Amino acid sequence: MDDPSYRVEAERRRGRGAAANPSGRYEPAQREGFDDGWSIEEELPPIPTEVIVEKPRTIITKNDSPDILFDKSINPYRGCEHGCSYCFARPTHAYQGLSSGLDFETKIFAKPSAPELLEKELRAPGYRPTTIALGSNTDPYQPVERRFRITRAILEILDRTNHPVGIVTKSALVTRDIDILSRMADRQLAKVAISVTTLDPKLARRMEPRAASPAKRLETIRKLSDAGIPVIVLVAPIVPAINDHEIEEILKAVAAAGAQEAGYVLLRLPYDLKDLMRDWLAEHYPDKLKHVFSLLQEARGGKDYDAEWGVRQAGVGPYAWMIGRRFETAAERFGLNKRSLRLRTDLFSPPAKETGQLSLF
């Protein structure tokens, strides 16, 4: 991080969350910057967003983690242009031979065949419906969704087949699909989780440069709630000494906007994300860097990150305990988590089988 060659020039990464593009952990070669003496006078252009069409074989991902309330998920996109500095999904770009830094937010993989694959998998013999989480890894309503509309096409299929869905997003674009989501909510088939990390627009712009502003997210919660769509708020992640003081104010604001449930996640730093977050703090909050990691390590058993199931979401120790009690107390004070909505699975009707035979008329 102390090497200037590690960072990408600020003008080239304007509107991006990461400051660098370190080599991915599975790349066969490591990149190292150095001055070869040949000065380049002209300025390099800003790093553009590149969308790559991916052709997966399957679209429903299954998991057995005891920390998560769903066992099936769909991610229409890999990578995320929102560019959140803290995103735990960043290291997954290594599986594409790419960096978890700027590559993650500038090289987006889209899956236009997702709706077709979904119909095929829902039609499979023996398929048993449980809630599908849409966007558990990267945001299904990130900017490229305006162009590809993959998320909407998936929702149309789930609506038609009466399949339950839970959405996680920090984008106001979700309101575009209120027509579908409100119909599904009427049948107890849909709920939406909105991530609200901070109410401070300046902090939000630094942490989540291309995501909706805090005010826009509160407006989104209000619109969804007014349409009869159950809304959960995720105060995630809680970053020690950066946004942890906002817990009560966030819960008060989202409850007033119509949210019914709320949860939180303490900052998670798997793999090289811990280095990217150190770099982000060094650039934006250098005076807090040591304090942030001191509190984080206290909550992670002395390590930057502990991936153990059961503790990775909330942490352990005095600091983690205090965050948990503050959250519970505030949630109760503002009337959140009075009930947990369970989506229905008994209405599911598989898509009609493809016979391959044409109609006579």
Side-chain angles (χ1 to χ4, degrees):
M1 289 190 299
D2 295 330
D3 183 356
S5 65
Y6 173 82
R7 287 184 170 85
V8 176
E9 296 86 345
E11 288 303 313
R12 293 201 66 206
R13 55 182 170 85
R14 183 180 295 276
R16 305 294 184 182
N21 209 39
S23 301
R25 64 186 184 279
Y26 298 130
E27 292 184 54
Q30 298 291 310
R31 296 186 294 272
E32 181 178 345
F34 68 95
D35 185 359
D36 61 4
W38 291 84
S39 300
I40 300 177
E41 295 183 0
E42 68 271 17
E43 294 183 0
L44 294 173
I47 301 174
T49 298
E50 178 185 359
V51 180
I52 303 154
V53 172
E54 183 177 352
K55 298 180 180 179
R57 295 182 179 179
T58 60
I59 198 61
I60 298 178
T61 301
K62 298 179 182 178
N63 78 82
D64 57 1
S65 169
D67 291 336
I68 303 175
L69 301 178
F70 58 85
D71 61 0
K72 297 187 182 77
S73 63
I74 295 175
N75 287 287
Y77 306 98
R78 290 181 192 262
C80 186
E81 198 176 358
H82 284 158
C84 301
S85 57
Y86 53 74
C87 182
F88 70 86
R90 281 182 176 273
T92 62
H93 242 43
Y95 298 118
Q96 309 301 314
L98 297 170
S99 172
S100 58
L102 288 167
D103 280 350
F104 178 80
E105 50 193 292
T106 60
K107 298 186 188 309
I108 311 300
F109 292 80
K111 307 174 186 178
S113 61
E116 178 184 347
L117 291 171
L118 177 59
E119 287 217 47
K120 180 180 178 182
E121 292 176 44
L122 295 182
R123 194 183 296 123
Y127 178 82
R128 294 290 180 268
T130 57
T131 299
I132 285 179
L134 196 54
S136 59
N137 200 42
T138 56
D139 203 311
Y141 285 103
Q142 59 179 286
V144 295
E145 167 62 15
R146 295 183 184 276
R147 169 183 163 194
F148 283 89
R149 298 173 69 87
I150 301 171
T151 298
R152 183 172 178 89
I154 289 172
L155 288 178
E156 288 171 345
I157 294 170
L158 297 177
D159 179 29
R160 190 169 66 247
T161 58
N162 291 314
H163 196 295
V165 64
I167 296 172
V168 181
T169 183
K170 52 172 61 75
S171 172
L173 184 57
V174 66
T175 59
R176 177 201 64 187
D177 296 335
I178 279 180
D179 57 331
I180 299 176
L181 292 170
S182 60
R183 287 199 305 267
M184 296 184 73
D186 285 343
R187 288 168 279 156
Q188 207 170 317
L189 293 173
K191 57 183 177 180
V192 177
I194 302 292
S195 172
V196 180
T197 316
T198 178
L199 298 178
D200 181 349
K202 291 183 179 179
L203 175 57
R205 193 54 53 208
R206 290 174 177 175
M207 293 179 69
E208 310 157 331
R210 299 200 178 191
S213 68
K216 197 69 176 178
R217 287 184 228 185
L218 293 177
E219 180 185 339
T220 298
I221 294 169
R222 190 171 294 108
K223 287 182 177 179
L224 293 170
S225 181
D226 289 347
I229 301 163
V231 180
I232 305 165
V233 165
L234 299 176
V235 185
I238 291 176
V239 185
I242 298 296
N243 69 339
D244 54 356
H245 64 284
E246 294 190 71
I247 292 173
E248 290 81 4
E249 288 302 312
I250 290 174
L251 292 181
K252 180 181 179 180
V254 300
Q260 299 173 357
E261 300 177 54
Y264 76 95
V265 178
L266 187 64
L267 179 65
R268 295 170 52 192
L269 298 176
Y271 300 107
D272 46 342
L273 181 56
K274 57 180 67 70
D275 296 324
L276 290 171
M277 272 304 293
R278 276 191 171 88
D279 196 38
W280 181 84
L281 287 164
E283 179 170 357
H284 296 289
Y285 299 97
D287 56 326
K288 293 186 177 182
L289 193 158
K290 290 184 178 179
H291 186 45
V292 170
F293 272 85
S294 173
L295 291 172
L296 196 62
Q297 289 164 0
E298 177 187 318
R300 300 295 187 192
K303 300 179 289 186
D304 288 345
Y305 180 56
D306 183 356
E308 183 181 350
W309 285 343
V311 299
R312 61 177 182 165
Q313 303 283 64
V316 296
Y319 175 78
W321 184 89
M322 178 191 68
I323 292 295
R325 301 300 76 73
R326 282 178 55 198
F327 193 92
E328 290 174 1
T329 301
E332 183 176 0
R333 185 194 317 161
F334 299 119
L336 297 164
N337 297 335
K338 295 297 183 182
R339 67 184 182 92
S340 179
L341 175 67
R342 295 184 63 86
L343 300 181
R344 297 182 63 176
T345 59
D346 58 311
L347 301 177
F348 176 65
S349 177
K353 292 183 178 180
E354 294 178 336
T355 63
Q357 182 173 343
L358 298 176
S359 171
L360 293 174
F361 304 100

